[in-house]
Amino acid sequence: MEDDIGTRLKALRNMYGLSQREVAKRAGVTNSTISLIEQNRVSPSIDSMKKVLDSFSMSLIDFLTMDMESNEKIFFEKDEIIEFFENGAHLKLIGANRKDRKLRFLHERYEVGAHSGDEMLTHDSEEAGIVIQGELELTVGQQVKILKVGDSYYINNNTPHRFKNVGNVECIVVSAATPPSF
Amino acid sequence: MEDDIGTRLKALRNMYGLSQREVAKRAGVTNSTISLIEQNRVSPSIDSMKKVLDSFSMSLIDFLTMDMESNEKIFFEKDEIIEFFENGAHLKLIGANRKDRKLRFLHERYEVGAHSGDEMLTHDSEEAGIVIQGELELTVGQQVKILKVGDSYYINNNTPHRFKNVGNVECIVVSAATPPSF
DNA sequence: ATTAGTCGTAAAATATAATAGACACTTTTT
DNA sequence: AAAAAGTGTCTATTATATTTTACGACTAAT
């Protein structure tokens, strides 16, 4: 258990947007008790702690194992994410620093004539995407398709594919895949 | 949490065969404290509880989630386990009634000339065994080997295999496999 | 501006946990 | 067998948790 009891309780209370007095009222203890616990001025008895947590309909076990660090970044400014270059495209990976990601969510930019290369790409993951701007030639196995704005695709596991911008403007695609290969 | 704190602590202490005084000494509290907690006369503060559990190198979470009913049978007399007949052998499965078994642990008895049958056996599990008595002809795929006392084997998942007693005395093998197929 | 209400914290009072010491009983050692 | 050691429980005292009351700061309503 990384956080002490007081810090943990304060975080929990703030998650619910409740005041110490409201929690105290629901728990059947005094608000001073809540204050003292949150400041780690006292170590509550197990019975008291249970009463407090009952007001959140939570067990002591859940309280002790609850992940407090759900402060992963949710919003990203356009220029905040560093672009990198791979497979002929300028890529921005959304949530790159998020732990235990289950998604690879990309903003892809292909310059006029750019392509992913002669080699077909394969990933042990399913992938879907949609064209936001320009025209994308997508080769999936033996199938070739020109996708325009609003057109989209869904590629199964390990299916060879490649991309090429065949329009006269920069092509932009937003894609996602799971499980993430990077 | 099914059991109260006191009952749970007493059960834990008895598991280790320690006296209240010994636990108290290790935890840096008084034996009266241990006694009062076990009788549920007091509700210990969380800090005190942790000190006590530290003497068992146990966290509060583990303490609260620990299964108190670990009364699975550990020892079995020779004639206690009912033998059954399968694949040419008399088998005794150790811990047959144990919940959520991850092992199939067998005592196998092959009478002179007995064998597992013309059909090869396959299991979606790894298996290992050792010859205790007699001689066992073990066919694994295309490989045939006569195993004598002390000789052993390890068969991979889904590898066809069969057994035959080629000696002139009863053959005894002890084997184990995971995950268990029965 | 003043009043009312809410918020979290502090200090004193009260309640309860933890301690220290004693007790009765059981087990082990001499 | 007697003495010593070990065991858990009990009681009075001490330490700490919890409550009660008050405070200052802030916000909203009048």
Side-chain angles (χ1 to χ4, degrees):
Chain A
M1 182 172 62
E2 303 170 8
D3 302 304
D4 48 61
I5 293 284
T7 307
R8 191 165 279 263
L9 176 59
K10 185 165 187 176
L12 176 64
R13 183 171 62 78
N14 289 335
M15 270 187 226
Y16 282 80
L18 299 175
S19 67
Q20 291 178 345
R21 278 185 164 87
E22 183 59 37
V23 172
K25 180 178 159 194
R26 295 180 182 192
V29 300
T30 60
N31 72 290
S32 293
T33 297
I34 304 294
S35 180
L36 289 168
I37 296 173
E38 289 188 359
Q39 292 177 77
N40 284 299
R41 295 269 300 276
V42 297
S43 175
S45 70
I46 288 183
D47 280 354
S48 291
M49 199 66 231
K50 280 181 180 173
K51 283 165 76 176
V52 173
L53 295 177
D54 279 351
S55 73
F56 296 102
S57 300
M58 179 177 272
S59 73
L60 187 50
I61 299 170
D62 289 342
F63 177 68
L64 294 173
T65 55
M66 181 173 61
D67 182 11
M68 287 295 172
E69 303 170 10
S70 55
N71 55 356
E72 299 274 19
K73 190 168 173 58
I74 297 175
F75 307 113
F76 305 89
E77 302 279 0
K78 178 179 178 182
D79 298 323
E80 181 177 339
I81 303 182
I82 299 173
E83 199 174 57
F84 60 101
F85 189 82
E86 186 168 316
N87 295 326
H90 301 272
L91 306 176
K92 282 184 175 180
L93 177 58
I94 313 303
N97 296 324
R98 187 175 281 253
K99 290 191 302 184
D100 299 324
R101 259 188 314 111
K102 298 292 183 289
L103 267 184
R104 184 207 78 187
F105 197 85
L106 287 176
H107 175 277
E108 309 174 22
R109 226 172 24 91
Y110 296 87
E111 295 173 353
V112 175
H115 56 91
S116 54
D118 293 332
E119 298 286 324
M120 299 287 255
L121 304 172
T122 63
H123 309 291
D124 190 10
S125 55
E126 300 179 6
E127 173 176 338
I130 188 166
V131 176
I132 305 295
Q133 171 184 306
E135 296 182 4
L136 184 76
E137 176 188 270
L138 172 58
T139 306
V140 179
Q142 303 302 315
Q143 300 172 63
V144 182
K145 179 73 175 181
I146 310 277
L147 300 178
K148 301 178 181 177
V149 174
D151 293 344
S152 56
Y153 61 90
Y154 196 117
I155 311 172
N156 282 331
N157 269 11
N158 290 321
T159 307
H161 56 281
R162 69 184 172 208
F163 304 98
K164 183 179 184 181
N165 180 355
V166 293
N168 51 15
V169 295
E170 180 179 80
C171 178
I172 294 182
V173 175
V174 171
S175 72
T178 188
S181 50
F182 60 85
Chain B
M1 185 171 60
E2 301 171 11
D3 301 304
D4 49 60
I5 294 285
T7 307
R8 191 167 278 266
L9 177 58
K10 185 165 186 176
L12 176 64
R13 183 171 61 80
N14 287 336
M15 269 185 224
Y16 282 80
L18 299 175
S19 67
Q20 291 179 342
R21 277 184 163 85
E22 182 60 37
V23 172
K25 181 177 156 194
R26 296 179 179 191
V29 301
T30 61
N31 72 289
S32 295
T33 297
I34 304 295
S35 179
L36 290 168
I37 296 173
E38 289 188 359
Q39 292 176 77
N40 285 298
R41 293 269 299 276
V42 298
S43 174
S45 71
I46 288 182
D47 281 353
S48 290
M49 198 66 232
K50 282 180 178 175
K51 282 167 75 175
V52 173
L53 294 177
D54 279 350
S55 74
F56 296 102
S57 300
M58 178 176 271
S59 73
L60 186 52
I61 298 170
D62 290 342
F63 177 69
L64 293 173
T65 56
M66 180 174 59
D67 182 10
M68 287 298 173
E69 303 170 9
S70 55
N71 53 355
E72 298 273 17
K73 190 167 171 62
I74 296 176
F75 306 113
F76 306 89
E77 302 279 2
K78 177 179 176 182
D79 298 324
E80 182 178 338
I81 302 184
I82 299 174
E83 198 173 57
F84 60 100
F85 189 83
E86 186 168 315
N87 295 325
H90 302 269
L91 305 177
K92 281 184 176 181
L93 177 59
I94 313 303
N97 295 325
R98 188 175 281 256
K99 291 191 302 183
D100 298 323
R101 259 188 313 112
K102 297 293 185 288
L103 267 185
R104 183 206 75 186
F105 197 85
L106 288 175
H107 175 278
E108 310 175 22
R109 227 174 21 92
Y110 296 87
E111 295 173 355
V112 176
H115 56 92
S116 52
D118 294 332
E119 299 286 323
M120 298 288 255
L121 305 173
T122 63
H123 308 291
D124 191 8
S125 55
E126 301 179 7
E127 173 176 338
I130 187 167
V131 174
I132 303 295
Q133 172 184 301
E135 297 182 2
L136 184 76
E137 177 189 271
L138 173 56
T139 306
V140 179
Q142 304 299 316
Q143 301 174 60
V144 183
K145 179 74 176 180
I146 310 277
L147 300 177
K148 301 177 180 178
V149 174
D151 293 344
S152 55
Y153 60 90
Y154 196 117
I155 309 174
N156 282 329
N157 270 12
N158 290 320
T159 306
H161 57 281
R162 69 183 172 208
F163 303 99
K164 183 178 183 182
N165 179 357
V166 293
N168 51 17
V169 296
E170 180 178 78
C171 179
I172 294 182
V173 176
V174 171
S175 72
T178 187
S181 51
F182 60 87

